[in-house]
Every structure is written in C-alpha cells, then in structure tokens.
Amino acid sequence: MKKSFLALAVAALAATSFASTASATTVYDKDGTSLSIYGRVQSVYYSDKTGNAAGYGDDKEGTIQASGRLGFDLRSQINPYVAGFAKAEFEMANGDNAVDGTDGFDARYLWVGMDFGQFGQFKVGKFEEAIKYAISQTDIFDDWGCTGLSGNDDRREGVVQYQWSGYGVDVIASYAFAKNNEHLDGAYWAGNGDNAEIVDLEYSYSIALGYTSPDVLFGPIAVRAGYLGGEFDNSGLSTPNETHTGPASANNSAIYAAYDSYDQFAVGLSWGSLNLGPYVAGVFQQRTFDMLPYAGSDVSETKVTGYEFALGYNFGNGLLVRAGYNHQKYEIESIGEAEGAVIPVYINYNFNPQVQVWAEARFDAGSDDDENGVNFYDYTNGCYNSDENVFSVGMRYNF
C-alpha cells in the first residue's frame, strides 16, 4: 500500500511467492550448528508516473533504482528434541533518494526462536503477524501486486508467534506487543504524506489456519483463513483527537475522529504450484477500523474490503508468466465509498537459479469515484492511486 518510490525498488516478495531465487549457501555446518547466507542485487527501471502509482505524491520521470538484500539463517541443535534458530535479513539501497540518510541499510526481518520438531516452532522478533499467511496466495508479483489486500506490508516489531505444521495442516498464532510508529495498511488517515498509515499500537493478536492437499491433477489445493484484532494506543492523544478520517468534497467538509481498534478476517484458496505448471489463486479480506468521532461527526467506522485473483504458469525452462486482478473498496461511514482496481501482468525469465530478468506492468481496471466525485486516491489520503498505468523492467542476481 503506502510505499515511497525507493521502497518500491526494494519491495519484498513473500516467502511463498517465488521459487525462482537461488537457495541459501551454507558457509558453516559443524556439530549441529550451521550458518547460511543468501541475498540478491538488482537494478530496476521504473516508468514515469511510478511515484503517483505508488502513492508517493509526485509525477516522477522514468528512472533506474538499484538495491540489494542480505540475509543470514542460523541454527543450532540443543538436544535431540530441540533446536534454536535465528534470522537476520537486511535491505540495502544506494541511498540516492535518502533525504534523512535512513535508506541505506534497514532490517527487514529479525527473529530468534526454538524448534520443537513435531511439536511446532516458537519465535519472537520482527516479522508479519499470522494474518499474512491467509493473504499470501495471490502475492506472486514483484512490484505491482497485492494492492487489494491489507496487511501485506505490516512487518511489526515485538511479535511472538507459534506455528505447528503436520498432515497438510498449518496452525499459526501470534501476539504483538505495544509499539509506536508502526505501519498499518488501511489506516489511511493516520498521518499524511510519507507518514500516512503510521500509528501507535497497544497490542494485536492473530490466528491463521490452513490445509494443503496432496496433488490433484496439476498440483495441490490449499485453503487458508485468518483473523486479526488490535487496539490503538490513544493514551498520549489530546481530546478531541484530531485524526483526519475523510476527504473534503463539494458536499462534505473534512471529518475528524480517532482510531480506536481494528479487526480483520481473510480467506484464500489456491490450486497448483509456483514451481511448475499452472497456478490459480484467490483471496478475500476485510479490515474494519472502529473510530472515536467528535465535533458532530458520526463516523464511527471505516472499512477496507478487497479481493484478488492471480494466475500463473511456470514452463519449467526458466520462463514464468503471471497475471491478476486486484480490487479494493474503502468506506467511510456516513460519508461514502470509493473503489480502485488494477490488473498486474508479469513475465520472468531465469537464465539459471542466480540470474533472472523480468518485466511487469500494472493497468487501471476501472477505478470509481464516490458519489460526490472524490477519487480513490484522495479517499485513501494519497496512499493508493490506481489510475496510473505503469511498468518496470529489472535484472537480478541471487546468491
């Protein structure tokens, strides 16, 4: 959702999204303790209007962005039944767009945990909550996918998670402790500009369930569901809290309210594998925010509803093709609603597991203004612009 132009260049694929990257290289493995290193370096050309499409707010000319990623996987066997593990993954960019010098080397994932074998895994650190599992089946694009769903960009610090997998079943439960200045998809009117969707959270909790069948014709069938709930930290806010929750229009002045709590549910279904042959997936989600209105406002709720479809085919000779449809509706109670829809198209060729090139485009698929003529970009406080047709072309080296 809300990303800076540079952040688009280093936007991450979900762990389930591509099987085309090279495997990690084990650089140490002795007496039950191992260390593996992985990463990538890439350069990507982004067409003009990419800034507007990303919600960056200005009409950038076409340009090339270079970035990198470096990760470490660590594991140590404590006894025959328990192992400790850790991950540290960092984003690296050239810093040319860094006004405040913060774009150079940032932690993307940081966690430590314990693996109890058939009894599951426990980990704590910085990563997405359990709801991410339920919305990841359509996240198979590089730059222009996953715009219909909330939660794809919500990597939080202070998350505790337990996961158990067996017999095709996955069970994931997470709890996130209080943190300030956290990104939260769909909280469009919490802040403005590059600081939109930045909130103070008291806590959140999430659970996700899934089942993946054995192969049926061309691949497994996987069904997933998830729930997320949380509370905002309003302790330091003045009364009334001046959080802008709606766009101004000819018949509507700006509305103010405070974010109070939120919840989300999601369901997903996929058939096939990204490794070879056809792949089909669909996800539906709804994230609802309870508001504390004031000054005559009756806005007690805002809602982000989205669904996505994705199609892919891996030819097995290095060639991958993907296409999809992403739709999102944003509703402000007693004010109105607006919708955005896009079609992402992607083609990738892997020369080998290390070197790949790709091209990707995103097309407006009929975004609708509200009844007063306010467009979707303004409705979402400049966080989501679906009107622009844009493309990117990139080359990547994985290691």
Side-chain angles (χ1 to χ4, degrees), residues 91-151:
E91 295 282 16
M92 298 172 290
N94 58 21
D96 288 347
N97 287 8
V99 176
D100 57 2
T102 61
D103 286 337
F105 197 83
D106 298 316
R108 184 170 181 263
Y109 289 119
L110 293 170
W111 71 64
V112 295
M114 303 287 282
D115 186 345
F116 302 99
Q118 62 179 332
F119 298 105
Q121 294 183 348
F122 166 86
K123 68 179 183 181
V124 58
K126 179 181 180 181
F127 48 90
E128 297 94 342
E129 297 170 86
I131 192 70
K132 178 61 184 285
Y133 171 81
I135 63 173
S136 62
Q137 288 162 294
T138 56
D139 187 14
I140 65 173
F141 302 93
D142 213 324
D143 291 313
W144 306 118
C146 214
T147 56
L149 309 179
S150 296

Side-chain angles (χ1 to χ4, degrees), residues 215-229:
D215 285 355
V216 178
L217 297 180
F218 56 81
I221 296 175
V223 59
R224 300 179 182 181
Y227 176 81
L228 169 69

